[in-house]
Amino acid sequence: MTAPLQRAIFWILVGFAVLILSLPMVIVVGASVTSGNIIAFPPEGFSLKWYEKIAQARDLQQAFWRSIQVSLVCVAVSVPVGTLAGIALSRYRLRGAMALQVYLLLPFTVPLIASGIGMMLVFGEWRILGALWPVGVACAVINLPFIIWSVSASAASLDRDLELAAQNCGAGPIATFFHVTLPAVMPGVITGGLLMFVLAMTEFLVSLLLTDARTVTLPVQVYNNIRSIITPDLAAVSTIFVVIALAAVWLLDRLVGLEIFLKSK
Amino acid sequence: MTDVTGPEGKRRYPLRWHVMDALEGAAGVLWPRRMAPFTGWLLLAPALLLVAVLVLGMVQIAESSLHTLDRSTFLPSEDYTLENYRTVADSATYLKVIWRSLYGSFLTVVFTLILAFPYSYILVRTNSAFTRKALLVALFLPFFIGQVVRAYGWLIILGNAGLVNDALELIGVERQRLLFSFPTVVFGLVQYMLPFAVLLLAPALTAIPREVETAAGSLGANWARVLWHVVLPMARPGLIGATLVVSTLSLTDFAMPAMLGGGSQDFIANAIYDQFFRTADQGLGSALALLLVAIGSLLVGAIFAAFGAGTLAMGGRE
């Protein structure tokens, strides 16, 4: 970057972008520590009373644990499935690769509202609607391309000769997979798994469609409460999401480095 | 593993190896060597099955879109009819909603790209590791927080007694009703889409060597011309990928119109939801959903056909 004018324009735009990206978080965290009874920013004095309140709110707690369960189911389903698919896509020559791409990108190209309603109808037919685990499976379906991407990116950089060398030394296909291929794609698996967990944790629309009053997850609970009345306890709940996001970003940075997302393909 | 090659007759064979042998044996029986050409498909099978749930769902939607709601029994009709599609086509309300979604999605793409391009550019080109890290964290945090919480934050900020109105009052401008308007929904979509756009743009910018820009500059091009004639064309895969994702996600979004639009700025997704959960007219809702899928696919197909998949391709091979 040489021209000062370009510098100035770009930094102004970036500054604005950073502002609109971070402001909601800052406000939510700030509003959660107010000692007043209405949402206000800057908060009126400091207190943790709203955290006390949500610690006692059973519906919020239960919704939180349900969200955790949904995320765990999502990870349990998507990680093995996505890992195998990611390896298959980058290590094997497959007929009709273009059609495969289109098919496996369906979770992204089909609008969430349609995927959600479609699965609602299918799960209703299968009589599993109203249980919690199908919500996790649904989250795995709609976010599957994320983990396939991250695994296939890792797999593409694995030297094919390493697998051949292992087989040359007498390792069978299973041993080769567990001792050579899997360790090599592990960064992709971990990144993908983390993404799947957090995305399932914050998934809103599909949860809204697949849950009922007895199985609402935390984002849906927050949404329902916002529509009734906005009190600072919601800000405290939202702060939980901020903390989860902070932990996820920190973990992601420690495990693979955030810079990995800047690499060109 | 050195203990295996002990003196003759004293070989120890670890349990793990027995397990592995058993697994290899089982694999050999279940998946004999002559099946090797299909191993790729075997590994893909679970993913194909999982996505099949989605396809089944589409079939179900298509099926139920062909039944009208019987107003006397509140059950779907027995016979197949295209009545629901006719209802949508004849309805001025739905055409307005569809138009609003398309227009909103177009505006979102434009504004998101305007913000995402310099963001990715600085992210990729900066020499400061700290700046890069800070920009990355600012990008990932909102991505991981989820739509509901972010929309909630904006409700507080843009509310009638919110931060923006406080600031407006300070500089002597009358308080405005900011929430529940079309520009606010578009604004919400832009800030929601920004991380997606940057993450799809940045890899394309990384692929452009710095020297190319320097060379263009030393040949006399000013920064605007370098940008227009060198950087933007070379960033094309990223721009395509970002446009694809941002346009389809914002066209089909539910949460931002629902929360920041407050029911007055519905997009197609909100109309579908209302048909299913307010009016309980599953047939009409399904017809709308299928229509949305069609519009979305047309959009994706058009961009695909014209420009290719850009940075959106999976599996490293194009």
Side-chain angles (χ1 to χ4, degrees), chain B residues 8-52:
Chain B
E8 214 39 52
K10 275 190 161 181
R11 284 183 184 218
R12 282 204 298 127
Y13 204 67
L15 180 64
R16 256 183 48 202
W17 292 26
H18 279 291
V19 174
M20 200 53 96
D21 280 349
L23 279 175
E24 298 282 6
V29 174
L30 290 172
W31 197 254
R33 191 159 281 267
R34 64 193 153 77
M35 299 291 278
F38 305 106
T39 306
W41 289 102
L42 179 72
L43 299 182
L44 263 182
L48 298 179
L49 281 177
L50 205 56
V51 177

mmCIF file of all heavy atoms in Angstrom, chain B residues 8-52:
data_model
loop_
_atom_site.group_PDB
_atom_site.id
_atom_site.type_symbol
_atom_site.label_atom_id
_atom_site.label_comp_id
_atom_site.label_asym_id
_atom_site.label_seq_id
_atom_site.Cartn_x
_atom_site.Cartn_y
_atom_site.Cartn_z
ATOM 1 N N GLU B 8 14.871 -64.706 18.768
ATOM 2 C CA GLU B 8 13.997 -65.687 18.115
ATOM 3 C C GLU B 8 13.159 -66.428 19.159
ATOM 4 O O GLU B 8 13.635 -66.791 20.217
ATOM 5 C CB GLU B 8 14.892 -66.679 17.369
ATOM 6 C CG GLU B 8 14.364 -67.263 16.060
ATOM 7 C CD GLU B 8 13.611 -66.300 15.170
ATOM 8 O OE1 GLU B 8 14.151 -65.203 14.863
ATOM 9 O OE2 GLU B 8 12.502 -66.635 14.781
ATOM 10 N N GLY B 9 11.855 -66.603 18.906
ATOM 11 C CA GLY B 9 10.998 -67.362 19.818
ATOM 12 C C GLY B 9 10.428 -66.539 20.939
ATOM 13 O O GLY B 9 9.497 -66.947 21.603
ATOM 14 N N LYS B 10 10.956 -65.370 21.165
ATOM 15 C CA LYS B 10 10.461 -64.562 22.281
ATOM 16 C C LYS B 10 9.696 -63.348 21.774
ATOM 17 O O LYS B 10 9.538 -62.381 22.497
ATOM 18 C CB LYS B 10 11.639 -64.094 23.141
ATOM 19 C CG LYS B 10 12.067 -65.106 24.167
ATOM 20 C CD LYS B 10 13.053 -64.444 25.108
ATOM 21 C CE LYS B 10 13.182 -65.223 26.412
ATOM 22 N NZ LYS B 10 14.107 -64.549 27.304
ATOM 23 N N ARG B 11 9.246 -63.404 20.539
ATOM 24 C CA ARG B 11 8.552 -62.248 19.969
ATOM 25 C C ARG B 11 7.281 -61.961 20.740
ATOM 26 O O ARG B 11 6.504 -62.857 21.000
ATOM 27 C CB ARG B 11 8.178 -62.523 18.522
ATOM 28 C CG ARG B 11 9.380 -62.407 17.645
ATOM 29 C CD ARG B 11 8.979 -62.598 16.226
ATOM 30 N NE ARG B 11 10.210 -62.561 15.465
ATOM 31 C CZ ARG B 11 10.316 -61.993 14.273
ATOM 32 N NH1 ARG B 11 9.262 -61.480 13.708
ATOM 33 N NH2 ARG B 11 11.466 -61.972 13.655
ATOM 34 N N ARG B 12 7.110 -60.685 21.061
ATOM 35 C CA ARG B 12 5.832 -60.318 21.654
ATOM 36 C C ARG B 12 5.020 -59.602 20.588
ATOM 37 O O ARG B 12 5.550 -58.791 19.842
ATOM 38 C CB ARG B 12 6.058 -59.399 22.858
ATOM 39 C CG ARG B 12 6.484 -60.175 24.071
ATOM 40 C CD ARG B 12 6.146 -59.444 25.341
ATOM 41 N NE ARG B 12 6.860 -58.162 25.398
ATOM 42 C CZ ARG B 12 6.259 -57.016 25.611
ATOM 43 N NH1 ARG B 12 4.933 -56.979 25.759
ATOM 44 N NH2 ARG B 12 6.937 -55.886 25.661
ATOM 45 N N TYR B 13 3.788 -59.940 20.534
ATOM 46 C CA TYR B 13 2.932 -59.330 19.527
ATOM 47 C C TYR B 13 1.897 -58.498 20.277
ATOM 48 O O TYR B 13 0.995 -59.056 20.905
ATOM 49 C CB TYR B 13 2.262 -60.431 18.717
ATOM 50 C CG TYR B 13 1.825 -59.983 17.344
ATOM 51 C CD1 TYR B 13 2.770 -59.642 16.372
ATOM 52 C CD2 TYR B 13 0.490 -59.922 17.012
ATOM 53 C CE1 TYR B 13 2.388 -59.254 15.113
ATOM 54 C CE2 TYR B 13 0.086 -59.528 15.758
ATOM 55 C CZ TYR B 13 1.027 -59.188 14.796
ATOM 56 O OH TYR B 13 0.644 -58.799 13.556
ATOM 57 N N PRO B 14 2.027 -57.172 20.288
ATOM 58 C CA PRO B 14 1.153 -56.341 21.140
ATOM 59 C C PRO B 14 -0.320 -56.516 20.781
ATOM 60 O O PRO B 14 -0.660 -56.811 19.642
ATOM 61 C CB PRO B 14 1.600 -54.910 20.815
ATOM 62 C CG PRO B 14 2.908 -55.044 20.139
ATOM 63 C CD PRO B 14 2.963 -56.376 19.516
ATOM 64 N N LEU B 15 -1.154 -56.341 21.782
ATOM 65 C CA LEU B 15 -2.598 -56.504 21.617
ATOM 66 C C LEU B 15 -3.112 -55.589 20.503
ATOM 67 O O LEU B 15 -3.955 -55.966 19.683
ATOM 68 C CB LEU B 15 -3.301 -56.170 22.934
ATOM 69 C CG LEU B 15 -4.829 -56.306 22.906
ATOM 70 C CD1 LEU B 15 -5.228 -57.753 22.672
ATOM 71 C CD2 LEU B 15 -5.456 -55.771 24.173
ATOM 72 N N ARG B 16 -2.562 -54.364 20.478
ATOM 73 C CA ARG B 16 -3.021 -53.398 19.479
ATOM 74 C C ARG B 16 -2.873 -53.959 18.072
ATOM 75 O O ARG B 16 -3.683 -53.707 17.199
ATOM 76 C CB ARG B 16 -2.199 -52.115 19.597
ATOM 77 C CG ARG B 16 -2.940 -50.994 20.265
ATOM 78 C CD ARG B 16 -2.098 -49.753 20.268
ATOM 79 N NE ARG B 16 -1.521 -49.486 18.960
ATOM 80 C CZ ARG B 16 -0.440 -48.734 18.779
ATOM 81 N NH1 ARG B 16 0.160 -48.211 19.809
ATOM 82 N NH2 ARG B 16 0.026 -48.510 17.564
ATOM 83 N N TRP B 17 -1.791 -54.725 17.885
ATOM 84 C CA TRP B 17 -1.540 -55.270 16.561
ATOM 85 C C TRP B 17 -2.543 -56.359 16.221
ATOM 86 O O TRP B 17 -2.942 -56.511 15.071
ATOM 87 C CB TRP B 17 -0.106 -55.822 16.469
ATOM 88 C CG TRP B 17 0.929 -54.749 16.540
ATOM 89 C CD1 TRP B 17 0.791 -53.550 17.140
ATOM 90 C CD2 TRP B 17 2.228 -54.790 15.976
ATOM 91 N NE1 TRP B 17 1.926 -52.813 17.002
ATOM 92 C CE2 TRP B 17 2.841 -53.558 16.290
ATOM 93 C CE3 TRP B 17 2.949 -55.737 15.259
ATOM 94 C CZ2 TRP B 17 4.130 -53.265 15.889
ATOM 95 C CZ3 TRP B 17 4.237 -55.448 14.875
ATOM 96 C CH2 TRP B 17 4.822 -54.205 15.187
ATOM 97 N N HIS B 18 -2.919 -57.137 17.282
ATOM 98 C CA HIS B 18 -3.956 -58.147 17.063
ATOM 99 C C HIS B 18 -5.235 -57.476 16.597
ATOM 100 O O HIS B 18 -5.886 -57.925 15.653
ATOM 101 C CB HIS B 18 -4.224 -58.924 18.369
ATOM 102 C CG HIS B 18 -3.223 -59.991 18.622
ATOM 103 N ND1 HIS B 18 -3.143 -61.129 17.861
ATOM 104 C CD2 HIS B 18 -2.240 -60.102 19.556
ATOM 105 C CE1 HIS B 18 -2.158 -61.897 18.309
ATOM 106 N NE2 HIS B 18 -1.583 -61.289 19.340
ATOM 107 N N VAL B 19 -5.586 -56.400 17.304
ATOM 108 C CA VAL B 19 -6.817 -55.679 16.958
ATOM 109 C C VAL B 19 -6.727 -55.189 15.514
ATOM 110 O O VAL B 19 -7.648 -55.356 14.716
ATOM 111 C CB VAL B 19 -7.038 -54.492 17.920
ATOM 112 C CG1 VAL B 19 -8.224 -53.654 17.463
ATOM 113 C CG2 VAL B 19 -7.242 -54.999 19.338
ATOM 114 N N MET B 20 -5.564 -54.600 15.194
ATOM 115 C CA MET B 20 -5.396 -54.045 13.856
ATOM 116 C C MET B 20 -5.479 -55.145 12.808
ATOM 117 O O MET B 20 -6.119 -54.987 11.769
ATOM 118 C CB MET B 20 -4.037 -53.334 13.781
ATOM 119 C CG MET B 20 -3.933 -52.331 12.659
ATOM 120 S SD MET B 20 -5.261 -51.122 12.635
ATOM 121 C CE MET B 20 -4.506 -49.770 13.487
ATOM 122 N N ASP B 21 -4.860 -56.317 13.133
ATOM 123 C CA ASP B 21 -4.920 -57.447 12.182
ATOM 124 C C ASP B 21 -6.351 -57.880 11.964
ATOM 125 O O ASP B 21 -6.774 -58.144 10.838
ATOM 126 C CB ASP B 21 -4.096 -58.631 12.714
ATOM 127 C CG ASP B 21 -2.617 -58.405 12.447
ATOM 128 O OD1 ASP B 21 -2.312 -57.470 11.681
ATOM 129 O OD2 ASP B 21 -1.797 -59.141 13.010
ATOM 130 N N ALA B 22 -7.098 -57.968 13.091
ATOM 131 C CA ALA B 22 -8.498 -58.390 12.992
ATOM 132 C C ALA B 22 -9.262 -57.410 12.116
ATOM 133 O O ALA B 22 -10.052 -57.805 11.250
ATOM 134 C CB ALA B 22 -9.119 -58.471 14.383
ATOM 135 N N LEU B 23 -9.008 -56.115 12.339
ATOM 136 C CA LEU B 23 -9.689 -55.086 11.549
ATOM 137 C C LEU B 23 -9.334 -55.208 10.073
ATOM 138 O O LEU B 23 -10.200 -55.148 9.203
ATOM 139 C CB LEU B 23 -9.301 -53.693 12.048
ATOM 140 C CG LEU B 23 -10.027 -53.186 13.286
ATOM 141 C CD1 LEU B 23 -9.451 -51.851 13.718
ATOM 142 C CD2 LEU B 23 -11.521 -53.056 13.001
ATOM 143 N N GLU B 24 -8.022 -55.396 9.823
ATOM 144 C CA GLU B 24 -7.595 -55.524 8.424
ATOM 145 C C GLU B 24 -8.251 -56.742 7.796
ATOM 146 O O GLU B 24 -8.688 -56.696 6.635
ATOM 147 C CB GLU B 24 -6.063 -55.670 8.332
ATOM 148 C CG GLU B 24 -5.272 -54.487 8.850
ATOM 149 C CD GLU B 24 -5.220 -53.323 7.865
ATOM 150 O OE1 GLU B 24 -5.903 -53.390 6.826
ATOM 151 O OE2 GLU B 24 -4.509 -52.346 8.171
ATOM 152 N N GLY B 25 -8.308 -57.845 8.584
ATOM 153 C CA GLY B 25 -8.924 -59.073 8.075
ATOM 154 C C GLY B 25 -10.384 -58.830 7.736
ATOM 155 O O GLY B 25 -10.856 -59.162 6.643
ATOM 156 N N ALA B 26 -11.085 -58.205 8.692
ATOM 157 C CA ALA B 26 -12.503 -57.933 8.486
ATOM 158 C C ALA B 26 -12.686 -57.037 7.268
ATOM 159 O O ALA B 26 -13.566 -57.268 6.427
ATOM 160 C CB ALA B 26 -13.084 -57.264 9.733
ATOM 161 N N ALA B 27 -11.822 -56.009 7.165
ATOM 162 C CA ALA B 27 -11.925 -55.093 6.028
ATOM 163 C C ALA B 27 -11.697 -55.859 4.729
ATOM 164 O O ALA B 27 -12.381 -55.615 3.727
ATOM 165 C CB ALA B 27 -10.904 -53.963 6.161
ATOM 166 N N GLY B 28 -10.749 -56.805 4.762
ATOM 167 C CA GLY B 28 -10.445 -57.577 3.563
ATOM 168 C C GLY B 28 -11.634 -58.413 3.113
ATOM 169 O O GLY B 28 -11.860 -58.594 1.916
ATOM 170 N N VAL B 29 -12.395 -58.926 4.113
ATOM 171 C CA VAL B 29 -13.559 -59.748 3.769
ATOM 172 C C VAL B 29 -14.717 -58.868 3.296
ATOM 173 O O VAL B 29 -15.351 -59.126 2.277
ATOM 174 C CB VAL B 29 -13.997 -60.584 4.993
ATOM 175 C CG1 VAL B 29 -15.303 -61.316 4.674
ATOM 176 C CG2 VAL B 29 -12.908 -61.572 5.369
ATOM 177 N N LEU B 30 -14.978 -57.806 4.073
ATOM 178 C CA LEU B 30 -16.128 -56.954 3.765
ATOM 179 C C LEU B 30 -15.890 -56.117 2.511
ATOM 180 O O LEU B 30 -16.824 -55.754 1.815
ATOM 181 C CB LEU B 30 -16.400 -56.008 4.938
ATOM 182 C CG LEU B 30 -16.936 -56.685 6.195
ATOM 183 C CD1 LEU B 30 -16.975 -55.676 7.339
ATOM 184 C CD2 LEU B 30 -18.329 -57.259 5.948
ATOM 185 N N TRP B 31 -14.653 -55.766 2.287
ATOM 186 C CA TRP B 31 -14.339 -54.865 1.175
ATOM 187 C C TRP B 31 -13.108 -55.407 0.456
ATOM 188 O O TRP B 31 -11.998 -54.889 0.625
ATOM 189 C CB TRP B 31 -14.092 -53.453 1.722
ATOM 190 C CG TRP B 31 -14.153 -52.397 0.675
ATOM 191 C CD1 TRP B 31 -13.098 -51.721 0.125
ATOM 192 C CD2 TRP B 31 -15.314 -51.892 0.034
ATOM 193 N NE1 TRP B 31 -13.530 -50.846 -0.816
ATOM 194 C CE2 TRP B 31 -14.894 -50.907 -0.895
ATOM 195 C CE3 TRP B 31 -16.685 -52.172 0.135
ATOM 196 C CZ2 TRP B 31 -15.787 -50.203 -1.708
ATOM 197 C CZ3 TRP B 31 -17.567 -51.462 -0.674
ATOM 198 C CH2 TRP B 31 -17.118 -50.497 -1.575
ATOM 199 N N PRO B 32 -13.291 -56.480 -0.338
ATOM 200 C CA PRO B 32 -12.134 -57.130 -0.972
ATOM 201 C C PRO B 32 -11.395 -56.190 -1.912
ATOM 202 O O PRO B 32 -11.915 -55.159 -2.318
ATOM 203 C CB PRO B 32 -12.767 -58.297 -1.745
ATOM 204 C CG PRO B 32 -14.226 -58.041 -1.780
ATOM 205 C CD PRO B 32 -14.567 -57.114 -0.668
ATOM 206 N N ARG B 33 -10.162 -56.612 -2.218
ATOM 207 C CA ARG B 33 -9.261 -55.764 -2.990
ATOM 208 C C ARG B 33 -9.846 -55.337 -4.343
ATOM 209 O O ARG B 33 -9.592 -54.246 -4.825
ATOM 210 C CB ARG B 33 -7.955 -56.542 -3.212
ATOM 211 C CG ARG B 33 -6.823 -55.709 -3.762
ATOM 212 C CD ARG B 33 -5.505 -56.373 -3.473
ATOM 213 N NE ARG B 33 -5.076 -56.147 -2.103
ATOM 214 C CZ ARG B 33 -4.282 -55.137 -1.750
ATOM 215 N NH1 ARG B 33 -3.887 -54.274 -2.638
ATOM 216 N NH2 ARG B 33 -3.905 -54.997 -0.500
ATOM 217 N N ARG B 34 -10.668 -56.241 -4.925
ATOM 218 C CA ARG B 34 -11.172 -55.883 -6.258
ATOM 219 C C ARG B 34 -12.169 -54.731 -6.190
ATOM 220 O O ARG B 34 -12.512 -54.123 -7.186
ATOM 221 C CB ARG B 34 -11.804 -57.103 -6.920
ATOM 222 C CG ARG B 34 -13.027 -57.633 -6.218
ATOM 223 C CD ARG B 34 -13.421 -59.020 -6.747
ATOM 224 N NE ARG B 34 -14.115 -59.769 -5.720
ATOM 225 C CZ ARG B 34 -15.381 -59.563 -5.396
ATOM 226 N NH1 ARG B 34 -16.075 -58.649 -6.012
ATOM 227 N NH2 ARG B 34 -15.945 -60.261 -4.435
ATOM 228 N N MET B 35 -12.631 -54.400 -4.947
ATOM 229 C CA MET B 35 -13.541 -53.260 -4.791
ATOM 230 C C MET B 35 -12.788 -51.941 -4.695
ATOM 231 O O MET B 35 -13.393 -50.873 -4.596
ATOM 232 C CB MET B 35 -14.400 -53.425 -3.529
ATOM 233 C CG MET B 35 -15.271 -54.657 -3.531
ATOM 234 S SD MET B 35 -16.580 -54.512 -4.755
ATOM 235 C CE MET B 35 -17.746 -53.527 -3.821
ATOM 236 N N ALA B 36 -11.442 -52.042 -4.681
ATOM 237 C CA ALA B 36 -10.617 -50.849 -4.444
ATOM 238 C C ALA B 36 -11.013 -49.621 -5.275
ATOM 239 O O ALA B 36 -10.990 -48.513 -4.763
ATOM 240 C CB ALA B 36 -9.142 -51.187 -4.661
ATOM 241 N N PRO B 37 -11.379 -49.810 -6.557
ATOM 242 C CA PRO B 37 -11.749 -48.607 -7.335
ATOM 243 C C PRO B 37 -12.929 -47.839 -6.740
ATOM 244 O O PRO B 37 -13.121 -46.670 -7.060
ATOM 245 C CB PRO B 37 -12.113 -49.174 -8.711
ATOM 246 C CG PRO B 37 -11.455 -50.495 -8.792
ATOM 247 C CD PRO B 37 -11.384 -51.013 -7.406
ATOM 248 N N PHE B 38 -13.708 -48.527 -5.894
ATOM 249 C CA PHE B 38 -14.901 -47.872 -5.341
ATOM 250 C C PHE B 38 -14.697 -47.367 -3.918
ATOM 251 O O PHE B 38 -15.642 -46.911 -3.276
ATOM 252 C CB PHE B 38 -16.094 -48.819 -5.390
ATOM 253 C CG PHE B 38 -16.359 -49.345 -6.764
ATOM 254 C CD1 PHE B 38 -16.042 -50.656 -7.095
ATOM 255 C CD2 PHE B 38 -16.890 -48.522 -7.738
ATOM 256 C CE1 PHE B 38 -16.266 -51.135 -8.375
ATOM 257 C CE2 PHE B 38 -17.120 -48.994 -9.024
ATOM 258 C CZ PHE B 38 -16.811 -50.304 -9.342
ATOM 259 N N THR B 39 -13.458 -47.476 -3.423
ATOM 260 C CA THR B 39 -13.223 -47.079 -2.030
ATOM 261 C C THR B 39 -13.624 -45.628 -1.791
ATOM 262 O O THR B 39 -14.206 -45.291 -0.766
ATOM 263 C CB THR B 39 -11.742 -47.277 -1.661
ATOM 264 O OG1 THR B 39 -11.383 -48.615 -1.965
ATOM 265 C CG2 THR B 39 -11.508 -47.007 -0.196
ATOM 266 N N GLY B 40 -13.337 -44.768 -2.770
ATOM 267 C CA GLY B 40 -13.722 -43.355 -2.639
ATOM 268 C C GLY B 40 -15.209 -43.217 -2.389
ATOM 269 O O GLY B 40 -15.635 -42.457 -1.517
ATOM 270 N N TRP B 41 -15.975 -43.988 -3.132
ATOM 271 C CA TRP B 41 -17.436 -43.908 -2.971
ATOM 272 C C TRP B 41 -17.879 -44.440 -1.626
ATOM 273 O O TRP B 41 -18.825 -43.925 -1.033
ATOM 274 C CB TRP B 41 -18.129 -44.688 -4.099
ATOM 275 C CG TRP B 41 -17.995 -43.990 -5.402
ATOM 276 C CD1 TRP B 41 -17.134 -44.298 -6.412
ATOM 277 C CD2 TRP B 41 -18.716 -42.823 -5.828
ATOM 278 N NE1 TRP B 41 -17.279 -43.401 -7.446
ATOM 279 C CE2 TRP B 41 -18.241 -42.500 -7.121
ATOM 280 C CE3 TRP B 41 -19.711 -42.041 -5.253
ATOM 281 C CZ2 TRP B 41 -18.722 -41.402 -7.838
ATOM 282 C CZ3 TRP B 41 -20.201 -40.965 -5.964
ATOM 283 C CH2 TRP B 41 -19.706 -40.650 -7.244
ATOM 284 N N LEU B 42 -17.174 -45.483 -1.129
ATOM 285 C CA LEU B 42 -17.502 -46.032 0.189
ATOM 286 C C LEU B 42 -17.325 -44.950 1.254
ATOM 287 O O LEU B 42 -18.167 -44.772 2.135
ATOM 288 C CB LEU B 42 -16.594 -47.229 0.492
ATOM 289 C CG LEU B 42 -16.816 -47.874 1.865
ATOM 290 C CD1 LEU B 42 -18.122 -48.627 1.882
ATOM 291 C CD2 LEU B 42 -15.665 -48.803 2.220
ATOM 292 N N LEU B 43 -16.205 -44.213 1.145
ATOM 293 C CA LEU B 43 -15.946 -43.167 2.136
ATOM 294 C C LEU B 43 -16.970 -42.037 2.029
ATOM 295 O O LEU B 43 -17.306 -41.386 3.016
ATOM 296 C CB LEU B 43 -14.531 -42.595 1.946
ATOM 297 C CG LEU B 43 -13.373 -43.577 2.118
ATOM 298 C CD1 LEU B 43 -12.042 -42.860 1.955
ATOM 299 C CD2 LEU B 43 -13.430 -44.245 3.481
ATOM 300 N N LEU B 44 -17.461 -41.824 0.819
ATOM 301 C CA LEU B 44 -18.420 -40.730 0.600
ATOM 302 C C LEU B 44 -19.834 -41.104 1.020
ATOM 303 O O LEU B 44 -20.652 -40.227 1.305
ATOM 304 C CB LEU B 44 -18.442 -40.351 -0.884
ATOM 305 C CG LEU B 44 -17.607 -39.172 -1.330
ATOM 306 C CD1 LEU B 44 -17.818 -38.940 -2.805
ATOM 307 C CD2 LEU B 44 -17.975 -37.911 -0.551
ATOM 308 N N ALA B 45 -20.111 -42.416 1.040
ATOM 309 C CA ALA B 45 -21.486 -42.873 1.235
ATOM 310 C C ALA B 45 -22.217 -42.228 2.426
ATOM 311 O O ALA B 45 -23.348 -41.758 2.260
ATOM 312 C CB ALA B 45 -21.514 -44.390 1.345
ATOM 313 N N PRO B 46 -21.570 -42.167 3.619
ATOM 314 C CA PRO B 46 -22.306 -41.553 4.744
ATOM 315 C C PRO B 46 -22.712 -40.115 4.466
ATOM 316 O O PRO B 46 -23.840 -39.716 4.784
ATOM 317 C CB PRO B 46 -21.302 -41.616 5.902
ATOM 318 C CG PRO B 46 -20.303 -42.631 5.523
ATOM 319 C CD PRO B 46 -20.241 -42.650 4.028
ATOM 320 N N ALA B 47 -21.810 -39.358 3.843
ATOM 321 C CA ALA B 47 -22.137 -37.957 3.538
ATOM 322 C C ALA B 47 -23.285 -37.894 2.537
ATOM 323 O O ALA B 47 -24.194 -37.067 2.667
ATOM 324 C CB ALA B 47 -20.905 -37.242 2.989
ATOM 325 N N LEU B 48 -23.241 -38.781 1.532
ATOM 326 C CA LEU B 48 -24.313 -38.793 0.536
ATOM 327 C C LEU B 48 -25.645 -39.100 1.206
ATOM 328 O O LEU B 48 -26.672 -38.486 0.903
ATOM 329 C CB LEU B 48 -24.014 -39.828 -0.558
ATOM 330 C CG LEU B 48 -22.743 -39.566 -1.379
ATOM 331 C CD1 LEU B 48 -22.535 -40.654 -2.418
ATOM 332 C CD2 LEU B 48 -22.791 -38.198 -2.041
ATOM 333 N N LEU B 49 -25.633 -40.055 2.159
ATOM 334 C CA LEU B 49 -26.866 -40.416 2.868
ATOM 335 C C LEU B 49 -27.376 -39.253 3.713
ATOM 336 O O LEU B 49 -28.579 -38.977 3.754
ATOM 337 C CB LEU B 49 -26.619 -41.632 3.769
ATOM 338 C CG LEU B 49 -26.614 -42.972 3.051
ATOM 339 C CD1 LEU B 49 -26.285 -44.097 4.029
ATOM 340 C CD2 LEU B 49 -27.984 -43.228 2.413
ATOM 341 N N LEU B 50 -26.450 -38.582 4.389
ATOM 342 C CA LEU B 50 -26.849 -37.479 5.270
ATOM 343 C C LEU B 50 -27.511 -36.365 4.455
ATOM 344 O O LEU B 50 -28.546 -35.819 4.847
ATOM 345 C CB LEU B 50 -25.610 -36.948 6.002
ATOM 346 C CG LEU B 50 -25.838 -36.246 7.343
ATOM 347 C CD1 LEU B 50 -26.573 -37.150 8.299
ATOM 348 C CD2 LEU B 50 -24.517 -35.821 7.951
ATOM 349 N N VAL B 51 -26.917 -36.054 3.310
ATOM 350 C CA VAL B 51 -27.500 -35.004 2.478
ATOM 351 C C VAL B 51 -28.821 -35.484 1.871
ATOM 352 O O VAL B 51 -29.701 -34.679 1.549
ATOM 353 C CB VAL B 51 -26.505 -34.553 1.385
ATOM 354 C CG1 VAL B 51 -27.111 -33.511 0.475
ATOM 355 C CG2 VAL B 51 -25.246 -33.983 2.030
ATOM 356 N N ALA B 52 -28.961 -36.823 1.761
ATOM 357 C CA ALA B 52 -30.208 -37.368 1.210
ATOM 358 C C ALA B 52 -31.414 -36.985 2.072
ATOM 359 O O ALA B 52 -32.531 -36.868 1.562
ATOM 360 C CB ALA B 52 -30.103 -38.882 1.082
#
